[in-house]
Amino acid sequence: MKNKNPNGEDTPLDALLQEWKPKPSLPPRFQERVWRRIERAETAPAPAVSRAQLFAAWLSTKLPRPALATAYVALLLVLGATVGWSQARQENARVTTELGARYAQAVDPYQPSP
Amino acid sequence: MRRGVLILTLGLVGAALAYCCFYLMGTATPRALMRSGQPELAWLRHEFNLGDAEFNRISALHQGYLPQCKERCLRIDELNGKLSNALTTATQVTPEMEKLLNERAQMRATCQAEMLKHFFEVSRTMPPKQGKRYLAWVRENTCLREQAMNHGEASHGEADAPAHRP
């Protein structure tokens, strides 16, 4: 028969358990390995963010700022106007040269054919 | 995000509109010239700042000159044909060939002289300053500016040779 307290517990076992102090044995160079892992985790590159994600973030956080939005719209307006004007000047020069050549051809039959 | 997309779109649409406006404004003159009945005369009017009266007079001169010019061209073509026929059978220069060559040279000289007369007449119809500009222009852009003589000596007189006509 085993000795049991009124609660039905095994008293020698309780005593034994209370005396027991576990002495964990760490693997060799445990501390050094832990520090190495921490170092590695700190120096590892951050998870890659795609350009689309960056653009989406810029679009939702940076662009709506009034100053940036105004500057962006103004810049595109100036850009469109500049390119349009520059191409118009090229077209002007082309048509002027072409019509001059046509006039010369009309009055001068010695002009080489285009 | 939605506001950002709206601003992005606004910028792009604005750029496209600005491009179209400036391009259409900048090309209004050449488009008007090309739409006219005689674009080359419209160009002359625009290039030399001619008024209505001057332009009407120059148009009349132009219309009067062209049929005569075409007639002389037909005569030169005819002489070219005759000369070509004579050359196919000839083994030496015949009196007939000499006559054709002289006749063609004479016709070409007449053609150029008439052309020059027309240019002077047109220039006199313009305001003096524009008339001078016009004469300078025809000097540079018509057969009045002859090519340098060349016997295949590439370096000979290269620096003095006039530029090729367009």
Side-chain angles (χ1 to χ4, degrees):
Chain A
M1 281 296 284
K2 288 179 182 174
N3 291 331
K4 289 187 177 177
N5 63 17
N7 295 333
E9 290 167 342
D10 197 339
T11 45
L13 181 60
D14 283 343
L16 195 62
L17 280 173
Q18 277 175 6
E19 274 175 25
W20 181 62
K21 283 182 183 166
K23 289 180 181 172
S25 63
L26 294 172
R29 303 173 71 186
F30 174 78
Q31 199 175 0
E32 187 189 331
R33 275 160 52 193
V34 168
W35 278 116
R36 205 174 291 161
R37 281 181 67 179
I38 290 170
E39 256 174 45
R40 229 180 289 146
E42 279 177 351
T43 55
V49 181
S50 71
R51 284 182 184 183
Q53 284 171 318
L54 280 175
F55 180 68
W58 178 80
L59 206 61
S60 55
T61 58
K62 298 272 192 324
L63 189 61
R65 290 178 187 170
L68 186 63
T70 310
Y72 160 78
V73 173
L75 182 73
L76 280 192
L77 281 175
V78 170
L79 196 70
T82 308
V83 174
W85 190 251
S86 154
Q87 289 206 343
R89 284 188 64 179
Q90 281 177 24
E91 179 65 4
N92 264 343
R94 188 192 67 75
V95 171
T96 302
T97 308
E98 185 191 317
L99 289 182
R102 272 165 74 166
Y103 174 75
Q105 251 179 347
V107 292
D108 176 9
Y110 295 97
Q111 286 284 318
S113 300
Chain B
M1 178 76 171
R2 204 172 144 194
R3 204 165 158 220
V5 172
L6 192 72
I7 293 166
L8 189 80
T9 312
L10 186 72
L12 293 175
V13 170
L17 280 177
Y19 172 87
C20 292
C21 286
F22 275 75
Y23 182 82
L24 291 175
M25 271 195 314
T27 55
T29 304
R31 279 184 292 117
L33 293 181
M34 292 302 268
R35 271 199 308 269
S36 66
Q38 286 182 304
E40 56 273 14
L41 284 183
W43 166 82
L44 195 74
R45 179 182 194 160
H46 177 256
E47 183 68 28
F48 297 99
N49 302 316
L50 303 177
D52 284 344
E54 293 153 348
F55 179 69
N56 290 338
R57 172 86 180 117
I58 287 172
S59 295
L61 285 175
H62 188 77
Q63 301 308 335
Y65 165 77
L66 285 186
Q68 295 170 20
C69 178
K70 280 178 184 162
E71 205 174 299
R72 284 189 291 273
C73 285
L74 284 175
R75 181 74 187 124
I76 292 171
D77 276 346
E78 192 186 317
L79 290 169
N80 280 341
K82 282 183 183 173
L83 192 62
S84 181
N85 285 340
L87 284 172
T88 50
T89 52
T91 53
Q92 59 181 2
V93 178
T94 62
E96 190 209 354
M97 281 164 67
E98 274 185 2
K99 188 179 161 243
L100 283 170
L101 284 169
N102 283 331
E103 209 176 329
R104 188 178 68 170
Q106 185 58 49
M107 186 53 74
R108 281 181 172 172
T110 307
C111 177
Q112 292 196 353
E114 289 300 321
M115 194 192 305
L116 196 53
K117 273 184 205 166
H118 174 71
F119 293 154
F120 281 129
E121 217 167 347
V122 169
S123 77
R124 278 197 301 271
T125 309
M126 294 178 173
K129 198 177 163 190
Q130 298 301 337
K132 270 188 180 177
R133 272 188 65 222
Y134 173 77
L135 285 180
W137 187 86
V138 292
R139 231 179 6 249
E140 289 298 313
N141 293 281
T142 65
C143 70
L144 295 176
R145 180 166 193 163
E146 288 288 356
Q147 297 296 308
M149 297 294 112
N150 186 357
H151 283 283
E153 296 149 3
S155 62
H156 175 70
E158 213 170 51
D160 301 323
H164 286 274
R165 288 200 312 258

